[in-house]
């Protein structure tokens, strides 16, 4: 659901993760932060993209400011815009995995891909465990804010 705040939210999340140094540590030791947002809506309607990369750079020279910070946005509603490179690396296939609605589709998407099968196995196990589903539903119901509640509800719907 587009709440029209993703750019600000994603910068906030990524920035918090970048600020990991303790007092007195050298900035060169800061670990890179590469945020990946999987959205089920088009972020910028006038320029839809399946896989977008945002980085800090000089507007005039296009020089990259730092390789240690980037925000990637995958638009799950625009898999049709996947590039040859996206397909080469299987990004479109992972997006389809996140969008699948049936167990048969999940099996077809993960067929012949051991990594995807390993990712999908816990979803199947959770689905077949009534106690795990109830625990997930209880967590979602008790979530302190509507964003977390909505996210947990989404996961429960996918798992069920």
């Amino acid at each position: 659901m587009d709440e029209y705040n993703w750019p600000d939210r994603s910068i906030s999340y990524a920035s918090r993760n970048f600020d990991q140094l303790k007092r007195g540590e050298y900035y060169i030791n800061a670990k890179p932060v590469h945020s990946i947002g999987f959205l089920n809506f088009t972020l910028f309607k006038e320029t839809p993209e399946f896989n977008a990369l945002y980085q800090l750079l000089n507007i005039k020279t296009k020089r990259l400011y730092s390789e240690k910070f980037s925000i990637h946005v995958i638009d799950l509603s625009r898999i049709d815009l996947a590039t040859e490179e996206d397909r080469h690396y299987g990004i479109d296939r992972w997006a389809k995995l996140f969008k699948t609605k049936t167990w048969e589709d999940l099996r077809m998407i993960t067929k012949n891909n051991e990594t995807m099968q390993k990712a999908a196995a816990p979803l199947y196990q959770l689905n077949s465990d009534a106690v795990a589903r109830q625990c997930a539903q209880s967590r979602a119901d008790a979530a302190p804010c509507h964003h977390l509640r909505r996210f947990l509800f989404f996961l429960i719907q996918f798992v069920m």
Side-chain angles (χ1 to χ4, degrees), residues 6-75:
W6 182 254
D8 293 336
R9 285 177 58 203
S10 63
I11 291 169
S12 179
Y13 296 155
S15 297
R16 282 184 231 158
N17 284 315
F18 193 77
D19 187 19
Q20 67 209 237
L21 296 174
K22 294 182 176 70
R23 185 180 175 115
E25 282 189 83
Y26 294 107
Y27 290 102
I28 193 78
N29 295 331
K31 292 186 173 100
V33 171
H34 302 288
S35 171
I36 304 172
F38 293 91
L39 308 182
N40 205 18
F41 60 88
T42 300
L43 185 58
F44 300 114
K45 307 250 186 279
E46 64 280 1
T47 54
E49 289 182 90
F50 166 63
N51 180 6
L53 167 64
Y54 299 93
Q55 295 178 298
L56 300 171
L57 58 89
N58 183 303
I59 292 176
K60 287 188 278 185
T61 66
K62 307 299 183 218
R63 178 174 170 82
L64 186 62
Y65 194 74
S66 172
E67 291 183 2
K68 288 188 170 187
F69 189 87
S70 64
I71 296 174
H72 302 256
V73 176
I74 306 294
D75 183 348

Side-chain angles (χ1 to χ4, degrees), residues 42-114:
T42 300
L43 185 58
F44 300 114
K45 307 250 186 279
E46 64 280 1
T47 54
E49 289 182 90
F50 166 63
N51 180 6
L53 167 64
Y54 299 93
Q55 295 178 298
L56 300 171
L57 58 89
N58 183 303
I59 292 176
K60 287 188 278 185
T61 66
K62 307 299 183 218
R63 178 174 170 82
L64 186 62
Y65 194 74
S66 172
E67 291 183 2
K68 288 188 170 187
F69 189 87
S70 64
I71 296 174
H72 302 256
V73 176
I74 306 294
D75 183 348
L76 297 174
S77 71
R78 293 309 309 257
I79 299 172
D80 62 307
L81 296 178
T83 65
E84 187 63 38
E85 183 179 19
D86 296 330
R87 288 187 289 279
H88 173 76
Y89 289 107
I91 299 169
D92 61 322
R93 196 166 175 197
W94 280 98
K96 289 174 186 171
L97 176 86
F98 294 133
K99 292 284 292 183
T100 190
K101 299 220 186 288
T102 69
W103 292 113
E104 183 58 34
D105 288 345
L106 187 69
R107 278 192 291 279
M108 291 300 293
I109 291 167
T110 62
K111 185 178 178 182
N112 301 324
N113 187 313
E114 187 178 338

